[in-house]
Structures are given as C-alpha cells and as structure tokens.
Amino acid sequence: MKTIVITILAILAGIPLSAQNNVGTVLTTIEENNTTLKALRKTADAQKLGNKTGIYLSNPEAGFNYLWGKPGDIGNRTDVSVKQNFDIPTLTGMKGKVANGQNNLAELQYLSDRMNILLEAKLYCIELIYYNALKRESDVRLKHAEIIAEGYKSRLDRGDANRLEYNKVQLNLSTVQGEISRINVERNALLSQLKRLNGGIDIALDDDQYGNISLPVNFDDWFIQAAEKNPALEYAGQEIEVGKRQVSLSKAMNLPAFSAGYMSEKVVGQQYQGFTVGVSIPLWENKNRVKQAKASVRAAESRESDSRQQFYSQLQILYSRTAGLKMTAEKYRQSLAAVNHTDLLKKALDTGEISLLDYILEIGLYYDTVIQTLETERDYQKAFAELSAVEL
C-alpha cells in the first residue's frame, strides 16, 4: 500500500499547469455553424439592400390623353407626354453616400454581435478546460481514495483497524465520488452550451490545460490599438459621419427639384410638340428636417464620447484584474514547486514517523493547493478573454 500511495502522490506532484489547446478550432467551428450569426448575417445583408432602396431617380412618367371634341365638327384632341423628375441630392450622389455609411453601420453591428457570441463561446471553453483539469485531478484522487478504502477494509477484517477509522476513509471516498459527479454535471452543462452555440452540433473539447497568453506591458499603448479594432467604437464614430452626411442631404432636400420631358398635342389640322420643364419649390415638406439631422449628430457625438470613456474604464479595470490574477497564479505555481516535499513524506511514512491518516492529510492539502491554482488560472484566462475580445 505504501508503494501505491507514494506513486499516487508522485503523479499529483507532476501536474503541468499550462499547454496548448484547441479553443481556436472550437471558435472557428462555432462561427461557421452558429444559427444566430447566420440570422444576423442575413439581417445585415437585407438591411444593406434596404439602405440602397430609394436613392435613385424617380420613375419616368408617361401620359396619353384622347379628348372628344364638341361640337363634333371641331374634331378630337390627342396629347402625349413623357416626363422625368430630377432632384439635386440624387444627381450629386448624396443619397448614395448616406446609404454607404448606413451599410457600414450594419456591417459593424454584425461584427459587434459576432464578437459577443465568440466571447461567450470562449468563456465556456475556458470554464470547460477548468472542469476537465479538475476532473483529471479528481480521478487521481478517487483512485487514491479507493486504494485507501480497500486497504482499511482489509485491515478492519484482520482487526488492525477500528470501525471509526474505516468510516473516515469511506466518508472520504464518498466525498470524492460526489465531487466527480458534480464536475460531470458542470461539464455536460458547458458542452450543452457549446452545442447550442454550434447550431445543435456536438462540440468535443477534452483539453485540460490552457495555452500561454501574454499580457500587454503598457495599457495606454495597447488601448489605442484595441480601440481601433473595437467594432462598437467604430460604430459610434461611423454614426457621426453618417449623421453629418444626413445633415448635408437634408439641406440639399430644401433645394428646388426639377422635371423635364417631351409633350405633343394634336388637334384637327394642327399639331404642337416640344419640350416641357418644371420646378418644385419645397416650402413646407422638409420643415425641421435639417434641425433634426443636426440634433442626431450631436446625440451621436455624445454617444461616441460616452462609449469611448466606458470602453477605456472597463478595459482598465479588466487589465488590473488580469494582471493581479496573473501574479496570483504564478505565486501558486511557485508554491506548488516549493512545498512539494513528497520525498520527505515518503521517508516519514517508511520510518513510521507519521501515520497513514497524516499522510492522507498532506496529500489533501497539496490537492487543495492545486485546485486553488486551477481556479486562479481559470479566472485569469477568463479576464484576459474579456480584455482581448476585440481580437476575436
């Protein structure tokens, strides 16, 4: 039994805490299969087509009149006309520029929704990796508890152990089994969440170690780059540009609109034909449109300023939290290496300096430290995922 227990402790002592993983592959798969993203993509495309609607010249108008004369000897009259209306915003391309800006907004909204969905998936992956690692350690602990329980059962049968000691090891075994059941429930729930995000297709992620990540050294320098990549901030800035173009368009809508065409009039023995022109002066139709457009620009500028400030503050908080968790995780790893006195425990057990229960206690303390390390590593990875979401 001593040899088996020492082997288990040696396995616990050699736990690696970081490695490469397949989270990137999972995110790529989810991006391809996510039904919400597909719906958002179609919605954005439909919105783009809608933005391109109504930006062209109105349809040409053709007319035909046949009038009976009275008295009958004056004959009948026939009119033919073809007319096209023109407005300056359409001719100068102002409507098209506004539509292009609105299409950019639709695309940026899609990118922002995409980022949020992939971030949600990545956080699930990080949580799943944590539970995979926890299950790995619990499986080792379960084997250890089963060995101890079997050993004490044999000792109880021989009369070398009492019922109280046997009950303690059985309780320890039940505790570990219950913990593994809880871990499996959480793992299945996370796999179900990933399946939901993957369009109902099962996701396999058995990694139990995280990939190496690097925290930016200077926050302000990194923030400038992150702000440029953030679709939500870009959306706020694009809103201002679209609003300014809308102001120019609203002003142009107050300019006269024109029409030009051909007209023919034919009566008995006479025919008139030639060009016709017209002008429409917008006296009332566009009232307050320019004021409304300017107010929208001011509102967009306020939203952009608020979005940038909120984004900066949020990332600053996440940066500090990530840096703190990183330091804590590193200290835990150092502690694991420093307090790993398995050789001393072996010698103490071999020489009878400590009891088997003391030996189990030492293993439990070491296991608790491993769990705390895994939890801190998980929290560090999740904080960094939120911090670097713009890279998704």
Side-chain angles (χ1 to χ4, degrees):
M1 179 178 290
K2 292 181 180 179
T3 303
I4 297 175
V5 173
I6 292 169
T7 301
I8 293 174
L9 186 57
I11 294 174
L12 281 170
I15 297 171
L17 294 179
S18 64
Q20 295 300 317
N21 58 77
N22 298 316
V23 173
T25 303
V26 172
L27 295 184
T28 300
T29 302
I30 288 177
E31 184 174 4
E32 293 175 354
N33 298 326
N34 185 265
T35 54
T36 302
L37 279 179
K38 291 179 180 179
L40 290 172
R41 179 73 274 169
K42 292 180 180 179
T43 300
D45 292 341
Q47 187 174 351
K48 288 181 179 180
L49 290 175
N51 293 333
K52 286 290 187 178
T53 302
I55 65 173
Y56 303 101
L57 291 173
S58 60
N59 296 322
E61 180 181 348
F64 175 79
N65 301 323
Y66 186 82
L67 308 177
W68 291 271
K70 189 177 181 180
D73 56 357
I74 66 174
N76 299 327
R77 172 182 164 183
T78 304
D79 296 337
V80 177
S81 64
V82 179
K83 183 174 65 173
Q84 175 67 58
N85 294 322
F86 303 91
D87 63 274
I88 293 177
T90 303
L91 293 176
T92 57
M94 288 185 176
K95 290 183 178 180
K97 293 178 181 179
V98 171
N100 290 336
Q102 291 173 336
N103 283 352
N104 289 337
L105 289 177
E107 186 64 25
L108 289 171
Q109 182 62 55
Y110 169 79
L111 292 177
S112 181
D113 292 335
R114 170 190 171 276
M115 182 185 71
N116 291 333
I117 290 175
L118 292 183
L119 175 59
E120 180 185 4
K122 187 172 183 178
L123 293 176
Y124 286 143
C125 288
I126 292 172
E127 193 76 15
L128 180 58
I129 291 173
Y130 162 74
Y131 277 107
N132 287 343
L134 198 58
K135 185 177 185 301
R136 177 194 65 198
E137 304 306 329
S138 296
D139 287 342
V140 175
R141 189 180 183 185
L142 177 62
K143 292 180 181 179
H144 172 77
E146 288 174 343
I147 292 173
I148 299 300
E150 290 175 1
Y152 267 81
K153 177 65 169 61
S154 300
R155 291 182 59 183
L156 180 65
D157 293 340
R158 297 195 307 267
D160 295 338
N162 57 46
R163 174 63 63 174
L164 182 60
E165 291 175 324
Y166 176 73
N167 290 342
K168 287 181 179 179
V169 296
Q170 287 296 322
L171 181 60
N172 177 65
L173 177 60
S174 298
T175 300
V176 177
Q177 291 173 336
E179 179 66 13
I180 291 179
S181 297
R182 186 189 69 85
I183 292 172
N184 288 330
V185 169
E186 296 296 336
R187 287 183 69 254
N188 291 334
L190 291 167
L191 288 170
S192 296
Q193 292 285 15
L194 289 174
K195 180 179 179 180
R196 172 181 63 84
L197 293 177
N198 197 39
I201 303 173
D202 288 329
I203 284 285
L205 182 62
D206 298 326
D207 293 359
D208 54 19
Q209 300 165 18
Y210 296 108
N212 295 321
I213 55 179
S214 178
L215 189 66
V217 177
N218 185 282
F219 172 77
D220 290 327
D221 292 341
W222 174 81
F223 173 78
I224 295 175
Q225 299 177 2
E228 293 176 353
K229 297 178 182 179
N230 187 289
L233 285 184
E234 190 175 352
Y235 183 97
Q238 183 66 27
E239 263 194 321
I240 297 175
E241 295 302 318
V242 172
K244 291 179 178 179
R245 290 177 181 175
Q246 188 65 51
V247 171
S248 299
L249 175 61
S250 298
K251 291 180 178 179
M253 293 295 291
N254 286 329
L255 298 175
F258 302 92
S259 63
Y262 167 82
M263 183 175 180
S264 171
E265 180 180 311
K266 183 179 179 181
V267 295
V268 177
Q270 296 178 330
Q271 181 175 354
Y272 300 92
Q273 59 183 357
F275 296 100
T276 176
V277 296
V279 60
S280 173
I281 301 176
L283 296 178
W284 306 286
E285 182 179 0
N286 295 324
K287 187 177 181 181
N288 291 329
R289 182 170 292 182
V290 175
K291 292 181 179 179
Q292 188 274 333
K294 289 182 177 179
S296 296
V297 171
R298 291 192 295 269
E301 290 174 342
S302 179
R303 287 195 298 271
E304 195 273 342
S305 178
D306 176 67
S307 296
R308 182 169 290 273
Q309 177 59 42
Q310 293 297 329
F311 183 63
Y312 180 87
S313 299
Q314 183 181 14
L315 287 194
Q316 195 173 43
I317 294 171
L318 282 172
Y319 182 87
S320 300
R321 183 169 184 268
T322 304
L325 289 171
K326 180 176 183 293
M327 293 179 59
T328 303
E330 290 174 349
K331 289 180 180 179
Y332 270 125
R333 292 194 203 93
Q334 294 171 0
S335 298
L336 283 177
V339 301
N340 183 15
H341 48 277
T342 55
D343 291 339
L344 293 177
L345 285 175
K346 176 181 179 300
K347 292 179 181 179
L349 183 62
D350 291 341
T351 58
E353 295 180 9
I354 61 174
S355 66
L356 184 58
L357 290 179
D358 290 334
Y359 192 72
I360 295 173
L361 178 61
E362 292 293 334
I363 295 177
L365 291 175
Y366 181 81
Y367 176 81
D368 290 341
T369 304
V370 171
I371 298 304
Q372 291 175 346
T373 303
L374 291 176
E375 290 179 349
T376 307
E377 184 74 15
R378 175 200 60 188
D379 295 341
Y380 167 46
Q381 292 279 343
K382 293 177 73 172
F384 184 81
E386 295 182 23
L387 182 67
S388 58
V390 294
E391 302 291 342
L392 294 174

